[in-house]
Amino acid sequence: MFYKILVFIHIFSAILGMGPGFVLSLIGKSAKTITELRHAYKIKNRVHIFVMIGGTALLVSGLLMGAINTSLFRMGWYNVSLFLFLLALAIGPIVLSPISKPLKAKIEAHEGEEIPEEYIREGKRLVFYENIESFIFLVIIALMILKPF
C-alpha cells in the first residue's frame, strides 16, 4: 500500500514539477519592453517554485521506491533516469544560474523600455540551455513510461 502511495506521489510530482518547467523558457519570449521582461522574470520565479517542490518530491519518492523495491537499481531505465535527473539538477546551479543571475541584474538596472541587444544574445543562450534541460526531462519521462531496458 505504501508503495502505491509513493507511485501516486511520484506521478503527481512529475506533473507538478516537470509540467511547469517545460514552459519556463517560453515565458520571457514574448516580452517587447523591459517592463514586460521584468514581469516575465517575476512569473518565472513563481513558476520555478513549483518546479523545485515537484522535482524534490520526484527525487525523494523515486529513491524511496528504489529502497523498497531494490530490483529497480538493477534496471537500466531506472539508473539512466536517475543519472539524467541528477545531471538536469546540476545544470541549474552550474549552467543556468551563472547566465540568469547577471541577466536579471542587468534587466533590473536598465533604464528605459528598450530591451538591450546584450540581453537578447544572453537570453537566447539561457533558453538554449533551458531547452537542453527540458529535452533531458522528456527522455526521463519516456524512460519511465516505456522502461525499455
Side-chain angles (χ1 to χ4, degrees):
M1 180 64 177
F2 182 65
Y3 192 83
K4 285 184 178 183
I5 292 170
L6 283 175
V7 170
F8 174 81
I9 291 169
H10 194 70
I11 293 168
F12 194 78
S13 299
I15 294 166
L16 178 70
M18 289 184 164
F22 289 118
V23 299
L24 281 177
S25 62
L26 301 175
I27 293 174
K29 278 190 167 187
S30 63
K32 302 290 184 236
T33 66
I34 284 292
T35 300
E36 290 176 0
L37 203 52
R38 287 180 186 135
H39 185 67
Y41 266 96
K42 287 178 184 173
I43 292 170
K44 281 179 85 163
N45 286 337
R46 288 184 183 137
V47 170
H48 192 254
I49 292 168
F50 287 97
V51 174
M52 289 174 51
I53 292 169
T56 301
L58 198 56
L59 180 61
V60 170
S61 61
L63 289 173
L64 285 173
M65 287 188 295
I68 292 170
N69 181 7
T70 56
S71 66
L72 287 175
F73 288 107
R74 292 187 298 278
M75 296 186 184
W77 64 267
Y78 181 88
N79 290 315
V80 171
S81 295
L82 183 58
F83 171 77
L84 289 174
F85 192 84
L86 294 173
L87 176 67
L89 283 180
I91 288 173
I94 294 171
V95 178
L96 298 179
S97 283
I99 299 170
S100 66
K101 283 184 181 180
L103 205 51
K104 287 178 193 176
K106 289 175 188 173
I107 291 167
E108 288 304 317
H110 184 75
E111 295 192 17
E113 282 299 309
E114 189 176 323
I115 298 174
E117 184 62 38
E118 181 183 8
Y119 169 79
I120 295 168
R121 191 174 47 256
E122 286 298 303
K124 285 181 182 179
R125 190 167 153 239
L126 178 64
V127 167
F128 173 77
Y129 288 112
E130 287 174 339
N131 288 338
I132 288 173
E133 192 171 44
S134 290
F135 178 75
I136 291 171
F137 286 130
L138 286 174
V139 170
I140 292 168
I141 291 169
L143 288 171
M144 292 284 151
I145 294 168
L146 300 174
K147 299 174 177 50
F149 51 92

